[in-house]
Amino acid sequence: MSFAAYKMMHWPTGIENCASGFITHSRADFVPRVTPIQTDELESEWPTRREIGPIPNLVVTAANVLEVYFVRVQEEGSGESKSPLQVKRGGFMDGVTGASLELVCHYRLHGNVETMAVLSMGGGDGSRRRDSIILTFKDAKISVLEYDDSIHGLRISSLHCFEGPEWLHLKRGREQFARGPSVKVDPQGRCGGVLVYDLQMIILKATQAGSGLVGEDDALGSAGAVAAHVESSYMINLRDLDMRHVKDFTFLHGYIEPVMVILHERELTWAGRVLWKHHTCMISALSISTTLKQHPLIWSAVNLPHDAYKLLAVPSPIGGVLVIGANTIHYHSQSASCALALNSYAFSFDSSQEMPRSSFNVELDAANVTWLLNDVALLSTKSGELLLLTLVYDGRVVQRLDLSRSKASVLSSGITTIGNSLFFLASQLGDSLLVQFSCGSGVSMLSSNVKEEVDDIEGDAPSSKRLRKSPSDALQDIVSSEELSLYGSAPNRTESAQKTFSFTVRDSLTNIGPLKDFSYGLRINADANATGIAKQSNYELVCCSGHGKNGALCVLRQSIRPEVITEVELPGCKGIWTVYHKSTRGHNADSSKLADDDDDEYHAYLIISLESRTMVLETADLLSEVTESVDYYVQGRTLAAGNLFGRRRVVQVFERGARILDGSFMTQDVSFGASNSESGPGPESATAVSVSIADPYVLLRMSDGSIRLLTGDPTNCTVSVTSPASFESSKRLVSACTLYHDKGPESWLRKTSTDAWLSTGIGESIDGASQDHGDIYCIVCYESGALEIFDVPNFSCVFSVDKFISGKTHLIDTLIKDTPKDSQKGDQGSDKVAGLGRKENVQNMKVVELAMQRWSGQHSRPILVGILSDGTILCYHAYLYESPDGTSKVEDSITAQGSVGLSSTSSSLRNLRFLRVPLDAYAREETSSGSPCQRITIFKNIGSYQGLFLSGSRPAWVMVFRERLRVHPQLCDGSIVAFTVLHNVNCNHGLIYVTSQGVLKICQLPSGSNYDNYWPVQKIPLKATPHQVTYFAEKNLYPIIVSVPVLKPLNQVVSSLADQEVNYQTEGQNLSSDEQNRFYTIDEFEVRIMEPEKSGGPWQMRATIPMQSSENALTVRMVTLLNISTKENDTLLAIGTAYVQGEDVAARGRVLLFSLGKNTDNSQTLVSEVYSKELKGAISALASLQGHLLIASGPKIILHKWTGTELNGIAFFDAPPLHVVSLNIVKNFILIGDIHRSIYFLSWKEQGAQLSLLAKDFGSLDCFTTEFLIDGSTLSLMVSDDQKNIQIFYYAPKMSESWKGQKLLSRAEFHVGSHVTKFLRLQMLSTSSDRTGSAPGSDKTNRFALLFGTLDGSIGCIAPLDEITFRRLQSLQRKLVDAVPHVAGLNPRAFRQFRSNGKAHRPGPDSIVDCELLCHYEMLPLEEQLEIAHQIRKQHTVTDHPGKLWI
């Protein structure tokens, strides 16, 4: 193998940066609501009701992923909380019943975000201006992004780059920098500052907001909101200001010009000198004049402690800055200063005056902090504790600082306040949390539910229940109020220090990182007979993730495997449907309401369509066939069945007619043939092909490409067949059509109508029974590829798109000319392409199926899905964009009346637009020559989830969470031909599907998994840090190394460190009594044996193996050793440990062997120690090599044979490795990865019993992990390093560059952008069965891909490629670098360059293709795809990669 492909399969989830700002809307978009009359008893206890002001967006970054969220707050008395049962996660607080995050946009950047800030224009609650996002990237790139309503996404506002030859002088000869660029912004939005190369400060000058006149603000209108943007940038060299070591900087509040405070260290100190040289830091405040480019020093403060590391600007009216250190907090302003000591290590500079101390001991290194009120800051410590810091002040003088303990929470990587009552805790080590806070003074008003651990907070609602009802509250219901009036107008009262806060968790974002190690094991409900892709779904990844109390086992499954309740053979099935029926039903609108809300009504009948007949089953306690005793049409196959008239009737549609049934009795029989005999010859020949039902209409597409509509009359429950006149005249052939029912609290599409006077009462045209149901629209695709939306029943066109089939990024009504830039490009290209004589490719493509749906939730937007004849799935999300010519909704009503006479499209949905959404992980369907069966099934409640199911040869679930689509394949049964929901006594909110083998399965979704993630995940909390996991297949057990932090008195710690040396004992006794009572946190290690629970519930701990005092377990592996006395193989659990006793004690470690068995009487696991031996050096890696045990102990690699009672060394290798971090074995080859010395390639020869070095890498590389990559007969060596790169080496002794075989040669190198901690070798599926007609020579069976996990929670794979495929993909990749828009201006090629961090490195070959870039090809419009494919002289199917990796 000389070539490989890199593909991400699960994107990063550990959130590094978070910020809040008005990105998608301005403060003025919030309408104050009238407070309800306070009758509630709880209200009367509150002196004043806390009003929720304007709520900003939340922006988060995880490695190279950027996401913007809406924060939806649901207030009491708002539209959605109709019943008291609907109180959301976190209960009721401050008039809020729930809050949730809803995704606005998600980007995968070609670069990792270092730091982020939000540039705000300031202004009061009435400001119409929006904020911008500033992102920084290594080494010195800055991107400013703003939200663009017209594309419903972010666009670049400005780019600032200080790299390259002309800026080389900024580095001052250095190549390595401790940290990347750091960005902060002025609170009033006048400028921003970015610190690059440790000592260069870039000032970003923001555009000033005109003269701040009110008139200008109003003239913008609602659509023309202006975002803050950067006008220019210039540089300040801090070295010229005599600053050497800058630690942090920030901008202060309350100055006329921006004032930047810089925390810097004048001279460095170190641990050995800290007793004499300790207060080395100082702060300097510079007044930044962006116009004059001057920065005079206005004040400074010296003698700050050496461990100060963070600055926090204090908001107005107090002003000033907090300096946070590990042991102290200092407050400084131009006029006053005070300090607070946090523990006994804190002392003042001259030791003369005593510092005030906090009432408890705490260390604040690595803390994150944000402001809850203008005088209360919230600190999140390294142990996950939340602390409240109160500034006690009089006027503008801070008198003292008060620190108090609050709750425990997640270990955070960042924290930001959102509005005036929420904050967000970002975490890389656990789930990130959205928390609501409430402030009372004196006594706490609300019962503060003390939840000491984040897992307890998580446990208060099943994830499925809480995520389903995710959205919340209309923007109009959110109020803006004066924040400060709440807390009394006298901030100088001493009681202000007595504020109490209550917190409640409102939402959380799942994180599976950091993935330290993972193992690949069999699922509990695995299918032993499965083959091919279905066999892959038998396995799951068990990952060590999290840290400390957020430590957990994450069980990841790449596909969904439903829990089967029962299954029956049912050959020849074409479709299945379930319908409701209640004999006693009221008439009128009440019944429709009841039907709409009544989720718990059971289904009455199951209708099964076979080749030439239909079966009907009753879905009572048992499924019993009632085909003979009902009036359903059973002589032929059924096309569709559903409910009409608020579930009072069932409609069954077959090829030549339809029946309306009341339960089992037919009330009407309709035939399709004769309704329009005038429409040309032979109308009887036309049969129905596809059906869409939306109460009270049924839409039929006929075999001759025409359309029929069955219109229901709710008064007497009958239907009549009509043929829409507009279609009769047009004679255009329809390739697919569907009905869309715009239900919900308010009809969504009505908002997009340009005619405000019309958008009040469209519903009146429909009969009263369906008045609440909202409007019904018909979406039609023609053979030409155009798409039109009609309103029903008038059939006037309200929206049309010319080339829906080409899959443009945005769909805009053809009547509108101001298309976004992106889609203009596609339009111009399409005409050109058509002329190039390649029309035949597009000619036979058409849309074969359509669906449009809006799921429950007040802010949900419709999703449009179309399936093309080649299997491509186009998925679009609707959004609202008011173009600037209709300046505001109010003026619309006036202009609309003038535009009525223009054309028949006066009621057009002119503000409706669609944005294309990528469907991750969805493999394209192979197209079958047979008649297309319906593939999309929409479900509203399966196990309380909602979304749609795609049947076919690659079935998949598309679930909707927070307005984002999560695609989860279902591989376990192969192809699925029919699917429907089932809700009855024995199958609660379950499903039925029929496989292509003719098996009907009744199932439920597994409850333990969380599907709001890239892969379904089940988290098993450990309350400890997991380090390594291995899998014992015979007994289905998982041994895991975990460490638990334990507090120990100092004298115990010292004595354990000094066991060997007698002279250390005296030192232990010299400790003062104060120091002896001090406690230290020591990690205690143990190995836990875990077993998965049969029902999919929490896992059971079967046994624990404790380690000795100060002994760390470093590695755990299941090894198979040949017992030379019995000549049998023993499978044992091997553990390698190290004693950590400080630098004065020689390193030693133990190797332990255990046998694992199960007691036959009960299911208890028996763990018995077979052998233990102490060796010199830490035992950091173990592996079994042809029945022997290979141990890496310190600098030695020793091979042992196993006699059954002891290990005897038979060979060793004294390489110069310092510390082996990974050990891999294939046959008799050994690959060793060293912590500093790169990799070594060894072989073992049985004859002479010798380990010999074949070759090594002569470069210096800090390895993270290694593995072999196998492609047929080619063996390559893969290694990942500390600079987030991967490299592939090979052994070629015959090549001259290899120095006669001593040196490993580079085959490929690639920058992943994440620390890869584990490679797992998995055999690839043979491509001949997986794909037909794959490239020649690619059907090798002996091909292995590497699955890898990273520290930021991402999972990807490296798969070998043959040369033909690689060359094609590489030429496509080169084209795509130019064809794909670069989000935030980042170049994909630059991102994948090897990073050497200043070390000498000879560039290796570019032999890995980046599938992250290639996957953009599918998202390009079809014309551009053909253009690119033509340029590289290959067909459209250029990306059909022959070796797909499936887990």
Side-chain angles (χ1 to χ4, degrees), residues 405-460:
R405 272 204 167 101
S406 187
K407 305 286 158 32
S409 182
V410 68
L411 302 173
S412 69
S413 59
I415 180 170
T416 182
T417 311
I418 304 171
N420 62 9
S421 58
L422 293 160
F423 64 87
F424 181 76
L425 282 163
S427 175
Q428 290 179 273
L429 304 173
D431 292 352
S432 302
L433 305 178
L434 176 69
V435 185
Q436 184 189 350
F437 66 90
S438 166
C439 166
S441 49
V443 203
S444 171
M445 296 292 175
L446 287 177
S447 60
S448 61
N449 309 323
V450 180
K451 308 240 172 79
E452 278 307 316
E453 300 292 341
V454 65
D455 299 291
D456 299 350
I457 297 175
E458 293 310 297
D460 65 358

Side-chain angles (χ1 to χ4, degrees), residues 382-383 410-411 427-430 454-455 511 513-514 516 544-552 1023-1027 1043 1045 1083:
K382 61 183 177 184
S383 62
V410 68
L411 302 173
S427 175
Q428 290 179 273
L429 304 173
V454 65
D455 299 291
N511 171 26
K516 302 197 189 81
C544 295
S545 75
H547 181 84
K549 64 180 181 186
N550 298 131
K1023 306 277 189 186
T1025 307
H1027 295 277
S1043 64
D1083 280 336

Side-chain angles (χ1 to χ4, degrees), residues 1030-1047:
T1030 185
Y1031 178 56
F1032 184 28
E1034 287 171 37
K1035 304 278 193 295
N1036 200 32
L1037 297 172
Y1038 289 91
I1040 302 157
I1041 297 177
V1042 297
S1043 64
V1044 186
V1046 178
L1047 282 174

